[in-house]
Amino acid sequence: MQYTGELDLSVDVQVFNLDLWDTTPGIIQELRERDIFVMCYFNAGAYEEWRPDASTFVPVVLGKDLAGWPGERWLDIRRIDILGPIMTSRLDLAVEKGCHGVDPDNVNGYTNDTGFALTAEDQLAYNRFLAFAAHERGLAIGLKNDIEQIPELVDDFDWMINESCFRYQECTALLPFKEAGKPVFVIEYDQAPEYICPQSQQMGFNTLIKHRELDAYRIDCHQFVQTKT
């Protein structure tokens, strides 16, 4: 999983998670030729002012700033009539570039101060729209962080990606994906592998310890546990 810095393609893994725009089709093709599954990241719940399609977002769907993330604003996910064509264009780009699947971020706006009166039902409708649109294009799709709605969405998504469930002691909420035979990927930041990795292995999760800037740095819990045994 890498979004910043010089891309390290030498890592011996089965899955890469890379930025949809910043990753070239050539890199994706190289990974595919190595039988590596490529997830392509994009922000589905927030506007990013630097993206190539930023001008397609009209002011009415732009909400409050995301705290700590300059240039990002929450989206009014109730307006699928406006956001739908933008997101499906992004999914089309993922197909065009050769991504196997997509990792849409910030799909839990209803639990945040977005500036909109979003409900759980609004979020379910939007997330299911994304899942259906991805599958319609032959793309797999993961659910990102929306822990509260896992029971309702586990059947709609192909894997779970969570940030910091060990830090916040929320990891048991991810188990429905594991029980459904679907992968669970966890990213932890600034956590001790001696504490995180044995728990991850016991739960059957795929966990990386990363820097917050998501550069090439990584501690793979599978490798860490193997070297300690």
Side-chain angles (χ1 to χ4, degrees), residues 32 37-41 94 98-104 138-142 159:
R32 289 180 67 105
F37 188 96
V38 182
M39 300 179 189
C40 293
Y41 168 95
C99 310
H100 290 99
V102 289
D103 171 23
L139 293 166
I141 183 170
W159 64 79

Side-chain angles (χ1 to χ4, degrees), residues 119-189:
T119 67
E121 289 71 24
D122 295 328
Q123 194 70 64
L124 285 173
Y126 185 66
N127 291 359
R128 284 177 171 145
F129 160 78
L130 292 170
F132 178 83
H135 290 149
E136 192 175 38
R137 288 161 173 77
L139 293 166
I141 183 170
L143 181 65
K144 186 78 158 282
N145 286 336
D146 188 12
I147 286 181
E148 294 83 357
Q149 296 187 329
I150 285 175
E152 291 88 356
L153 293 174
V154 63
D155 291 337
D156 297 287
F157 288 81
D158 302 299
W159 64 79
M160 181 75 199
I161 293 186
N162 174 269
E163 294 172 290
S164 303
C165 79
F166 288 106
R167 178 180 180 184
Y168 296 111
Q169 299 182 345
E170 299 172 331
C171 292
T172 56
L174 314 183
L175 288 175
F177 271 87
K178 190 66 182 175
E179 292 163 358
K182 299 179 178 183
V184 175
F185 301 96
V186 177
I187 306 103
E188 293 285 339
Y189 305 103

